[in-house]
Amino acid sequence: MRNNNYTLHELFCILYKTGKTVRKCLESKYPNKAKELYGCCIEASDILITQLNIIGIPALPCSGWVLYDYPERCIDEPCEPHYMVKVPYQDNYIYLDVTATQFQFCLSEQIPKVLISNECPYWFVESDEKPIEILLKEFPEWYELKEEI
């Protein structure tokens, strides 16, 4: 099933409602992390996948790396591993993320509490492995500086 039974608008509405519910649940469970939900992406993705699959919407885990717009605001590296959900629709994917707010400090665009996009966010590289080639290209001064220390 590739969600062809829904219009794109209907699917976005279902994803938003499910995402909002999961986000509220995690904000209640982790009141000290409620603003950003830092470190909750795997748990959030697992819950989203389960809830969407229950209602007949196939959802898949999507692992990758967030590349910072503002590397000067990070401590270790200008990237961090992250998980979200992708839902097939026709010949594409819709991306759903309820914990992307944890990266607001290092991204230039405003991140909503429930992020839904019909394309992979510009700041996310879908890959199980750290995207070393991209990092060296995007942040050469960062890695040159780290090597000198």
Side-chain angles (χ1 to χ4, degrees):
M1 180 176 166
R2 298 195 58 78
N3 295 311
N4 292 325
N5 295 333
Y6 299 103
T7 67
L8 187 58
H9 176 75
E10 290 169 334
L11 187 56
F12 266 61
C13 289
I14 293 167
L15 295 178
Y16 180 77
K17 183 178 178 182
T18 305
K20 188 174 177 182
T21 301
V22 170
R23 170 102 190 181
K24 280 187 172 187
C25 173
L26 291 173
E27 287 174 343
S28 295
K29 185 177 179 180
Y30 302 109
N32 294 337
K33 298 180 179 182
K35 185 177 177 189
E36 294 92 8
L37 290 179
Y38 182 79
C40 297
C41 59
I42 295 173
E43 182 176 2
S45 295
D46 288 345
I47 295 168
L48 285 167
I49 290 168
T50 300
Q51 293 302 310
L52 292 169
N53 286 333
I54 286 171
I55 60 175
I57 295 176
L60 305 166
C62 183
S63 63
W65 295 82
V66 174
L67 303 183
Y68 296 171
D69 289 336
Y70 303 113
E72 65 275 7
R73 295 183 183 172
C74 63
I75 296 171
D76 297 326
E77 286 188 87
C79 68
E80 194 162 337
H82 186 55
Y83 296 87
M84 64 175 82
V85 172
K86 62 183 181 180
V87 175
Y89 182 76
Q90 296 177 351
D91 293 328
N92 248 328
Y93 288 103
I94 299 170
Y95 293 83
L96 173 62
D97 192 342
V98 298
T99 64
T101 50
Q102 66 185 299
F103 301 107
Q104 187 61 70
F105 75 97
C106 64
L107 297 173
S108 59
E109 72 175 22
Q110 187 63 36
I111 306 296
K113 287 185 174 187
V114 178
L115 174 71
I116 302 172
S117 177
N118 58 356
E119 57 185 37
C120 188
Y122 78 89
W123 41 262
F124 187 76
V125 175
E126 189 174 347
S127 171
D128 291 332
E129 302 295 324
K130 187 183 291 186
I132 299 298
E133 296 79 22
I134 295 172
L135 290 168
L136 289 171
K137 180 181 176 188
E138 294 291 321
F139 308 105
E141 68 287 347
W142 178 268
Y143 289 96
E144 288 171 10
L145 178 63
K146 290 293 182 186
E147 289 174 10
E148 292 172 7
I149 293 177

